[in-house]
Amino acid sequence: MTQATNITPLFNNLAKIERDRNVACHACSLYSLCLPLGLNNNDLVRLDNIIERSQNHKRGHTLFTSDQPFRSLFVVRSGSFKTTISAKDGRDQVTGFYFPGEFIALDAIHQQNYQSNAKALESSSVCELPFNNLEEIGKEMPQLQIQMLTRLSKELAGDKNLMLLLGKKTADEKLATFLLSLSKRFQERGFSATDFQLSMSRGDIANHLGLAVETVSRLFSRFQEEGLILIAGKALSIKDIEKLRLMCG
Amino acid sequence: MTQATNITPLFNNLAKIERDRNVACHACSLYSLCLPLGLNNNDLVRLDNIIERSQNHKRGHTLFTSDQPFRSLFVVRSGSFKTTISAKDGRDQVTGFYFPGEFIALDAIHQQNYQSNAKALESSSVCELPFNNLEEIGKEMPQLQIQMLTRLSKELAGDKNLMLLLGKKTADEKLATFLLSLSKRFQERGFSATDFQLSMSRGDIANHLGLAVETVSRLFSRFQEEGLILIAGKALSIKDIEKLRLMCG
DNA sequence: CGCGCGTTTGACATGACTCAAATGCTGTGG
DNA sequence: CCACAGCATTTGAGTCATGTCAAACGCGCG
């Protein structure tokens, strides 16, 4: 079996941030992807002051669960997270994967409790935004409000597309769509659009796409046979991104 | 076949509103379900002034499509709508059904275009909220901003549950969950939780739940044989709501 | 009243799941 | 640093829930 080689480690540029966890928004490499975008200096300082920058979370660490009271939104600083919701009988659905600059817990605003469970997929850190404070300073920062609305709206649009994926797409189309979504997000963050590490397990991918683990595994094998990708464990290299695009349905 | 009888016509209490389309927010029967909740009188008047109350939309009328520029949010005033998104090849997914007091187009905020297509399922009317104006007055009404965030967050939470439904539930569980969701929303609007009209076609239901029309039709028949419901065309009567709840998975 | 589309029902096909087992990888403790 | 345990992944074989195709039916709209 051919090996995927020279894969760029995921977000290794962010190692610096993990070491210096108290870097302020204006100095943060995620600045342009994150909430502060469009704020003036004064407002930025006020926002900065309500943010609690978290300790490092190890792989598997639970950020929150749906039985806990909602207090804060989180923005991924480094690493990655998955969110899940559970049916009564324990079945659960991976509702999303979250990368640096992305918000977690937007579905919990103004509910008593979080609406999902969030877990770190690798060593990760977050910025915690206590919602009461955010609400408070938001009253005086229209630009921040717009940002919040935009964020929510974007996640909503993404979820509608996931509904299309889950409801109408074949297994091939699901996986192709998923890989391209990751590719795009990595590219937006300044990383390679074709070579990256999958921080989530096959099980998580399968669950998220409404497939069985075995199906995902077989698809990875077949995509590789067909020359679309190289996959070795968690290391992925996209070899024919155009063909992959045509497969998305 | 037993007939479902004495079905309460859907939203006929709202006939009055349809006749007098210019009723202001403070006089609207949807007030408590709608955006103005929590606004003081001054703010309410300002909001009132930017709202454009629509003509009556006939069944099948398209409110907007995803190739049109985004200008306004819509709140259903009477009747009901469905939204869909389309894959390149024309397959589409019904992403939601919308009833009085519910927002349409929240997924389009701060995108160039609408992200989905919206179509009336029956004779319906809407309040149109030009987003630029809403944004403008929102700067001075924290309470309105909170309302907007809450609305978006609630729709997001609902969509996450739809992902669970589409990804993990069996056909039976999907239909049971769907019927109970309608039941709950009708009840919140002051109508019967057990007897109502389905304004959408079997095809729309099937599409929304990721099933084939034939499957939905068979399920309705079986649910009726099992004494869970009575269904006659579009008239639905829930006979064993508890058992239905146990079936939701 | 009649046409057409939406719905129902039946028969059959199949994509993806489940079960099973081999293999590989990773983290841990000695 | 290595060896082992346990979990993740891959691969194969067989099954099943749901989709597809086909045809009859009937309701509702014009």
Side-chain angles (χ1 to χ4, degrees), chain B residues 84 171 226:
Chain B
T84 57
E226 294 170 1

Side-chain angles (χ1 to χ4, degrees), chain A residues 114-240:
Chain A
Y114 287 105
Q115 298 296 295
S116 43
N117 318 291
K119 195 173 264 201
L121 293 171
E122 58 191 309
S123 259
S124 305
S125 59
V126 295
C127 291
E128 180 171 352
L129 291 75
F131 188 70
N132 285 341
N133 298 343
L134 195 63
E135 218 177 330
E136 204 53 44
I137 68 169
K139 289 179 183 169
E140 294 149 35
M141 297 188 205
Q143 207 46 240
L144 184 63
Q145 296 284 11
I146 306 286
Q147 269 288 324
M148 291 297 300
L149 289 180
T150 304
R151 285 312 183 117
L152 271 155
S153 180
K154 274 185 184 157
E155 176 144 1
L156 202 49
D159 282 4
K160 305 281 184 192
N161 277 303
L162 274 169
M163 288 174 59
L164 174 64
L165 177 146
L166 287 167
K168 297 286 172 304
K169 295 194 180 182
T170 64
D172 297 42
E173 292 168 341
K174 285 176 176 181
L175 189 62
T177 306
F178 174 69
L179 294 180
L180 285 176
S181 155
L182 289 185
S183 168
K184 189 178 167 215
R185 285 150 86 189
F186 287 153
Q187 189 164 41
E188 286 167 355
R189 283 160 183 75
F191 300 102
S192 167
T194 55
D195 298 79
F196 46 86
Q197 299 277 335
L198 303 169
S199 57
M200 66 293 291
S201 70
R202 301 290 191 271
D204 288 337
I205 296 173
N207 182 306
H208 184 52
L209 301 179
L211 297 169
V213 188
E214 294 92 328
T215 305
V216 169
S217 183
R218 280 185 253 271
L219 285 175
F220 273 134
S221 300
R222 216 187 64 225
F223 279 16
Q224 181 158 256
E225 279 168 30
E226 293 170 1
L228 290 165
I229 61 171
L230 289 181
I231 179 99
K234 308 226 153 202
L236 176 75
S237 178
I238 297 176
K239 289 303 170 194
D240 194 341

Side-chain angles (χ1 to χ4, degrees), chain B residues 201-202 214 217-218 221:
Chain B
S201 70
R202 301 289 190 273
E214 294 93 329
S217 183
R218 280 186 253 271
S221 301

Side-chain angles (χ1 to χ4, degrees), chain B residues 5-54:
Chain B
T5 52
N6 295 322
I7 303 293
T8 307
L10 186 57
F11 301 125
N12 59 357
N13 291 351
L14 298 174
K16 179 178 63 66
I17 290 174
E18 286 188 33
R19 282 196 304 277
D20 178 8
R21 283 194 293 272
N22 286 315
V23 60
C25 289
H26 72 269
C28 179
S29 68
L30 292 169
Y31 175 78
S32 65
L33 287 164
C34 196
L35 191 64
L37 194 62
L39 295 189
N40 64 36
N41 278 342
N42 274 344
D43 289 351
L44 195 52
V45 168
R46 292 189 63 190
L47 177 63
D48 232 22
N49 285 332
I50 69 162
I51 294 177
E52 299 169 16
R53 291 170 181 86
S54 82

Side-chain angles (χ1 to χ4, degrees), chain A residues 42-60:
Chain A
N42 275 344
D43 289 351
L44 195 52
V45 169
R46 292 189 62 190
L47 177 62
D48 232 22
N49 284 333
I50 70 162
I51 294 176
E52 299 169 15
R53 290 169 181 87
S54 81
Q55 305 294 92
N56 193 56
H57 298 298
K58 289 212 180 82
R59 184 152 87 89

Side-chain angles (χ1 to χ4, degrees), chain B residues 189-201:
Chain B
R189 283 160 183 75
F191 300 102
S192 167
T194 56
D195 298 80
F196 46 86
Q197 299 277 336
L198 302 169
S199 57
M200 65 294 291
S201 70

Side-chain angles (χ1 to χ4, degrees), chain B residues 173-186:
Chain B
E173 292 169 340
K174 285 177 176 180
L175 189 62
T177 306
F178 174 68
L179 294 180
L180 285 176
S181 156
L182 289 185
S183 169
K184 189 179 167 215
R185 285 150 88 188
F186 287 153

